[in-house]
Amino acid sequence: MAGGSAKAKPVEVEVAGHTVRLSSPDRVYFPRRGFTKKDMFDYYLAVGDGIMRALRNRPTALQRFPEGIEGEMFYQKRVPARGVPPWIRTAKIQFPSGRSADELCPADLAHVAWAAQMGTVVFHPWPVRGGDVDRPDELRIDLDPQPGTDFADAVEAAGEVRGLLDELGATGWPKTSGGRGVHVYLRIEPRWTFTEVRRAVIAFAREVERRRPDLVTTAWWKEQRGEKVFIDYNQMARDRTIACAYSLRANARATVSTPVTWDELPDVEPDDFDLRTVPERVAKIGDPHAGIDDAPWDISPLLEWADRDDRDGSGDLPYPPDHPKMPGEPKRVQPSRDRDRKE
């Protein structure tokens, strides 16, 4: 082709017994790093065991960038009825609005490879499995640093989370968010509804806040949080999702939400883990979350704490704005705009 270079031809790759066709493999997806679509595709194959541990049989929303991270972005929550491989599996989920969708439900690594071919950079799984989409088997604690705080503060808050989990006899599995935050996951028995598991997370977060009010907040309204780490309890509300373990993040550095050990956490930085370094890390040390499925936990102690808090006058907290008003939920009015608020 005169005056320019020819586009790279599509390639076909065998993944988990299926053929996945990778088009435009040389398209640059992360311009600052020079990483291409093929680099991204190869990355997801290299971390296959780990990302499947995070995604297997979970309804998953796809954050897609067909032209790379500096191009158009959209969330795909519905797998089209036509034009997809016949082996693609889906699960029907219901949104807070009452509407439903058939979301991608990865049964094997070929599903991840297909999604990467479609320009998926970030994978957002639900905390449920396709066999029971209304009862979470994963409890997520999202430690979100607010303005004036940073990753080091989130790590310190994670240490408080770990201590409380130890007292409860529960095992938490930490990972970087790929940004400034820290996530701690627990496998739980799939016996409770989203409402109940969210209630349990609120009770847990309040207990951490009581112990470290100088560091941690559960305040939903930003104007009330201050320079603290917010425990985002609404990440356990229906249809709220977090980038999964080993998912790339859509930033210039091509960072990865990366599982770490508790001993490692105080010494790492988010930029330590990216598209290039994480496959090398996995090849060397394996997956720090390899045992996450071994011992699901009974959240009954947290529900007892929630009952105690209710009796003491600390009831529910606001839901996200896209949720219908829930029984017992306080007003969704920013405190500074609440004319009925008693000073």
Side-chain angles (χ1 to χ4, degrees):
M1 184 175 178
S5 58
K7 292 183 178 180
K9 295 181 179 179
V11 296
E12 292 188 345
V13 183
E14 291 295 314
V15 185
H18 301 288
T19 300
V20 179
R21 184 176 184 269
L22 177 65
S23 62
S24 304
D26 60 345
R27 176 172 292 154
V28 176
Y29 260 62
F30 296 88
R32 177 174 160 186
R33 304 294 303 278
F35 295 147
T36 65
K37 185 178 181 182
K38 187 175 187 303
D39 290 329
M40 182 175 73
F41 186 90
D42 290 345
Y43 164 81
Y44 279 121
L45 298 186
V47 299
D49 287 347
I51 198 163
M52 285 309 302
R53 190 169 287 113
L55 290 179
R56 190 178 304 279
N57 296 330
R58 295 192 184 281
T60 302
L62 309 177
Q63 189 177 355
R64 292 177 56 189
F65 297 79
E67 302 298 323
I69 65 164
E70 294 185 355
E72 178 187 6
M73 181 278 287
F74 61 94
Y75 286 91
Q76 182 170 334
K77 295 189 175 184
R78 292 175 170 83
V79 172
R82 299 179 180 178
V84 301
W87 43 266
I88 288 290
R89 294 188 186 179
T90 62
K92 185 177 291 293
I93 49 86
Q94 188 173 61
F95 301 120
S97 65
R99 292 178 300 166
S100 63
D102 293 321
E103 283 199 346
L104 184 72
C105 192
D108 54 39
L109 189 57
H111 287 69
V112 176
W114 173 80
Q117 146 61 20
M118 299 296 289
T120 301
V121 175
V122 189
F123 291 83
H124 295 268
W126 283 46
V128 300
R129 306 283 184 173
D132 189 347
V133 296
D134 294 316
R135 296 183 183 276
D137 74 331
E138 187 168 76
L139 185 151
R140 299 168 175 177
I141 301 168
D142 180 10
L143 302 170
D144 183 10
Q146 300 303 291
T149 63
D150 56 19
F151 180 73
D153 296 296
V155 169
E156 184 177 358
E160 298 295 328
V161 167
R162 183 190 187 186
L164 186 51
L165 290 175
D166 286 347
E167 292 179 25
L168 290 164
T171 300
W173 302 83
K175 67 182 180 73
T176 66
S177 70
R180 299 188 310 128
V182 174
H183 302 151
V184 181
Y185 284 9
L186 287 81
R187 287 290 188 268
I188 62 174
E189 298 174 7
R191 294 166 43 193
W192 298 275
T193 65
F194 275 96
T195 301
E196 291 169 320
V197 178
R198 175 182 174 276
R199 188 166 177 258
V201 171
I202 290 173
F204 182 89
R206 280 175 165 155
E207 184 63 26
V208 178
E209 184 180 31
R210 290 185 190 102
R211 298 182 181 203
R212 288 297 306 274
D214 60 313
L215 175 66
V216 168
T217 181
T218 60
W220 177 246
W221 302 105
K222 291 182 180 180
E223 65 185 34
Q224 294 182 317
R225 292 176 189 171
E227 296 184 0
K228 299 180 182 180
V229 176
F230 172 50
I231 301 183
D232 189 354
Y233 59 86
N234 268 332
Q235 292 295 0
M236 285 310 309
R238 180 182 290 273
D239 194 33
R240 297 281 286 207
T241 57
I242 303 176
C244 73
Y246 295 105
S247 177
L248 288 162
R249 303 309 307 268
N251 57 42
R253 285 279 307 158
T255 61
V256 173
S257 183
T258 306
V260 295
T261 67
W262 283 112
D263 289 342
E264 284 181 300
L265 185 58
D267 299 319
V268 302
E269 293 292 338
D271 283 354
D272 293 341
F273 308 117
D274 62 28
L275 183 152
R276 192 67 75 206
T277 62
V278 169
E280 298 170 354
R281 168 181 167 84
V282 170
K284 182 177 180 180
I285 71 166
D287 178 12
H289 282 194
I292 193 171
D293 293 313
D294 292 349
W297 188 58
D298 181 341
I299 67 170
S300 295
L302 298 185
L303 295 175
E304 292 172 2
W305 287 2
D307 290 340
R308 173 203 63 193
D309 290 344
D310 284 346
R311 291 192 298 270
D312 293 343
S314 297
D316 202 357
L317 292 172
Y319 272 78
D322 58 334
H323 277 244
K325 186 70 175 179
M326 300 294 286
E329 180 189 357
K331 289 195 300 183
R332 295 185 195 174
V333 180
Q334 192 172 327
S336 61
R337 298 182 180 180
D338 185 359
R339 296 179 181 178
D340 298 327
R341 184 170 180 243
K342 296 181 180 180
E343 298 297 337

